[in-house]
Amino acid sequence: MPAGISFKVEGDKLSVLRADDSRENRAKHGLMRAHLANMVKGVTDGWTRELEINGVGYRAEVSADTLTMALGFSHPVVFKLPKGVGAKVDKNESS
């Protein structure tokens, strides 16, 4: 915890407090609030990454633990998903 910043827990709320309104303490206050918000979001929602593939002939498919993507190369890109990681293809549309 940085100097000049403190935390207060009231019921189910956690408050970040600063000692004064100096520029340094305001910056630390915002940094700590953002860190705490990201920690809570990571625990409640988990981590996701969304990839949008655009282009004629580009497509992706998932089978078991393998992600296969046609991305314009001479051969498909095959990626074996690590244990505990999942992938989902929402739509494959041709234009």
Side-chain angles (χ1 to χ4, degrees), residues 9-94:
V9 178
E10 292 178 351
D12 63 346
K13 292 187 178 185
L14 176 64
S15 299
V16 181
L17 307 170
R18 60 182 179 240
D20 57 37
D21 282 340
S22 68
R23 181 180 177 103
E24 182 179 349
N25 281 340
R26 288 192 322 248
K28 290 178 187 177
H29 178 258
L31 176 70
M32 294 310 299
R33 193 220 56 83
H35 278 309
L36 289 171
N38 287 337
M39 287 182 209
V40 169
K41 182 179 179 193
V43 169
T44 56
D45 297 341
W47 187 81
T48 61
R49 171 69 65 170
E50 292 187 18
L51 174 66
E52 183 176 332
I53 301 172
N54 290 317
V56 176
Y58 291 5
R59 47 182 201 282
E61 63 183 45
V62 178
S63 61
D65 62 346
T66 304
L67 174 63
T68 305
M69 298 175 284
L71 302 173
F73 297 115
S74 61
H75 59 283
V77 177
V78 179
F79 182 75
K80 184 165 172 58
L81 297 170
K83 187 174 183 174
V85 174
K88 175 176 74 167
V89 175
D90 284 337
K91 54 187 171 181
N92 265 334
E93 298 177 350
S94 58

